Amino acid sequence: MLLLVLGTAAGGGIPQWNCACSGCSGARAHPHRRRRHASLAVRSGDGRWYVVNATPDIGDQIEDRPELHPGPGRRQTPVAGVVLTDAELDHTLGIARLREADRLQVIATAPVRQALLDRLHLGAVLAPYTCVTWRELPRRGTEPLAGDMPGLPDADTSVLPTGDTSGLRISGIPVSGKRPRYAADAPDDDAWVVALRLYDPSSGATALYAPALAAWPDRLQQAAAEADCVIVDGTFWDDEEPRRTGISARTATGMGHLPIEGENGTAERLARLSARCLYTHLNNTNPLVDPAASEHKKLARLGIEVAYDGMVIEL
Ligand code: MLT
Ligand code: MN
Ligand code: ZN
């Protein structure tokens, strides 16, 4: 299994366009501190790539990775679709950015799909531009990532990169009922936010990707205990960070993000896992956005990594 880390920042990115905080100013002064919105690319069994969460940066994120570049046909792309862990704007606005595609698969749980169709009207808006196929992300069992692509001629796949015949399998482990603000009154469902589980039958490797964690349910704990690699929500260092920095009147947990450190903190849980563990979806207020911050040493002592843009994880 090959995971390309396309971005590691929370909504707004680092730097955020309207923010002069030390994290954002630091990233303007030191370009290596920049982080695009959190996203991954994963290769399916048929050699095509899926992007996990379509961010506002998706065009640049595809340009950054030669594996995702089009060719050899003039309008032939190895990017087959998008898998969503939630319906948040920082994870979905990029879908519209892919409207030049001939066709596009979007794989999501039912509440996420419904929010995109009923609230953002993405189905109606995109229909004149491209053919979007909506696929259900299973909450139980697993299903091949490379699903049916209706109307795709065989010839289209024959020239795409192959080599991974493993048939990556996916499922979404319900994490929380946290809805995006634009769908605050939408029906309750435990799969508004999921942890994406990726399983490679050829190597037996499992990865978990959960950039938004409002809770740590038992099923997530089970999956994390069995996983080889766990990449999770590192939005805030501690619960008071959003209030202390003045970005919100709510705590981190109140905003739907378990903090890294403290009572509800995820670091202690990660430290007990045998998996390789990494944080992603860093907010610009998080001290970890400064490479010199002492918090990096604290995580290193626990054996936990901080993901960075351009990182490649092979399992
Ligand atoms: C979140 O991660 O909580 C959301 O992306 C925040 C937002 O973009 O409004
Ligand atoms: Mn977010
Ligand atoms: Zn900032």
Side-chain angles (χ1 to χ4, degrees):
M1 180 179 344
L2 200 56
L3 308 176
L4 311 179
V5 178
L6 304 182
T8 53
I14 304 170
Q16 178 174 311
W17 68 278
N18 63 344
C19 190
C21 76
S22 59
C24 292
S25 304
R28 288 191 187 95
H30 308 282
H32 65 277
R33 295 190 194 177
R34 288 173 180 258
R35 292 175 186 264
R36 298 195 199 276
H37 287 96
S39 176
L40 278 187
V42 296
R43 199 170 51 173
S44 66
D46 64 4
R48 285 182 287 196
W49 292 86
Y50 285 76
V51 174
V52 184
N53 293 332
T55 86
D57 298 321
I58 196 163
D60 297 318
Q61 289 172 318
I62 289 172
E63 284 306 312
D64 284 346
R65 297 296 325 188
E67 300 91 331
L68 306 181
H69 288 177
R74 197 162 65 98
R75 285 290 169 87
Q76 189 172 29
T77 171
V79 179
V82 173
V83 188
L84 301 175
T85 60
D86 53 72
E88 294 291 342
L89 292 178
D90 56 340
H91 294 163
T92 56
L93 285 178
I95 295 171
R97 184 79 173 75
L98 301 179
R99 67 189 176 282
E100 294 87 1
D102 288 337
R103 58 186 70 76
L104 189 68
Q105 278 188 46
V106 179
I107 307 175
T109 61
V112 169
R113 181 182 67 239
Q114 232 37 61
L116 301 183
L117 294 176
D118 299 345
R119 309 277 170 148
L120 296 185
H121 302 286
L122 269 188
V125 166
L126 290 177
Y129 298 87
T130 185
C131 170
V132 180
T133 310
W134 301 87
R135 265 175 66 199
E136 179 99 13
L137 179 59
R139 306 180 195 194
R140 298 258 165 212
T142 63
E143 108 167 22
L145 175 56
D148 298 334
M149 287 284 277
L152 183 71
D154 289 345
D156 268 10
T157 57
S158 61
V159 285
L160 287 164
T162 52
D164 179 0
T165 52
S166 60
L168 213 61
R169 301 183 72 87
I170 54 168
S171 59
I173 296 164
V175 161
S176 79
K178 189 209 166 199
R179 276 145 278 205
R181 280 188 265 176
Y182 69 81
D185 59 342
D188 217 8
D189 195 299
D190 67 350
W192 274 100
V193 180
V194 299
L196 179 67
R197 187 170 178 269
L198 297 152
Y199 170 61
D200 182 345
S202 74
S203 65
T206 299
L208 266 190
Y209 183 64
L213 282 181
W216 193 288
D218 291 345
R219 268 193 74 201
L220 178 67
Q221 176 59 30
Q222 262 166 38
E226 291 164 13
D228 301 285
C229 181
V230 176
I231 308 173
V232 300
D233 186 343
T235 311
F236 299 112
W237 179 262
D238 65 85
D239 214 23
E240 283 301 320
E241 183 181 315
R243 297 211 278 219
R244 193 173 55 247
T245 56
I247 62 156
S248 174
R250 292 176 295 171
T251 59
T253 311
M255 291 179 72
H257 297 286
L258 294 178
I260 294 175
E261 196 181 60
E263 211 179 316
N264 288 337
T266 51
E268 276 192 30
R269 290 182 183 278
L270 296 185
R272 290 195 293 267
L273 299 174
S274 58
R276 178 176 178 191
C277 296
L278 306 98
Y279 281 114
T280 188
H281 197 272
L282 273 61
N283 196 54
N284 41 52
T285 51
N286 190 322
L288 291 171
V289 305
D290 178 355
S294 60
E295 284 80 358
H296 283 280
K297 292 197 185 80
K298 286 191 190 173
L299 290 185
R301 278 197 292 273
L302 296 172
I304 302 170
E305 298 171 63
V306 179
Y308 57 84
D309 296 23
M311 193 174 203
V312 177
I313 298 173
E314 204 166 351
L315 298 168

